[in-house]
Amino acid sequence: MKINEVERLIGITKKNIRFYEEQGLLAPRRNSENGYRDYGEEEVQTLRRIKALRKLGVPIEEIRQML
């Protein structure tokens, strides 16, 4: 799944998805042909967890420890 699809599915902006990746919370595969991020079900579930925890005010560092 491409980042645009994940953005629409979960309701998290591309900017936030990339931020979570930079923070080491996500590690999507890369398409070897074009270098695009390829998000699977595991990444989608992780983003859902992150979104829920952030709504509860949990800091990124605590989320990193939970994951």
Side-chain angles (χ1 to χ4, degrees):
M1 196 179 314
K2 293 181 183 168
I3 196 167
N4 289 333
E5 296 168 305
V6 175
E7 180 182 37
R8 282 191 303 271
L9 179 66
I10 300 176
I12 296 178
T13 66
K14 289 183 271 193
K15 182 178 179 180
N16 281 339
I17 294 170
R18 289 185 188 115
F19 172 75
Y20 296 140
E21 185 179 343
E22 289 168 7
Q23 294 299 307
L25 303 177
L26 287 176
R29 294 172 299 282
R30 291 283 183 159
N31 183 316
S32 60
E33 294 177 18
N34 58 22
Y36 291 170
R37 293 169 177 86
D38 184 21
Y39 296 88
E41 188 58 35
E42 183 178 338
E43 289 82 21
V44 169
Q45 291 302 322
T46 299
L47 283 167
R48 285 188 173 127
R49 282 188 219 116
I50 292 169
K51 181 179 179 181
L53 291 167
R54 293 299 293 148
K55 280 188 175 184
L56 294 172
V58 178
I60 295 292
E61 191 54 45
E62 284 186 40
I63 294 172
R64 185 184 339 275
Q65 292 172 5
M66 289 179 197
L67 297 176

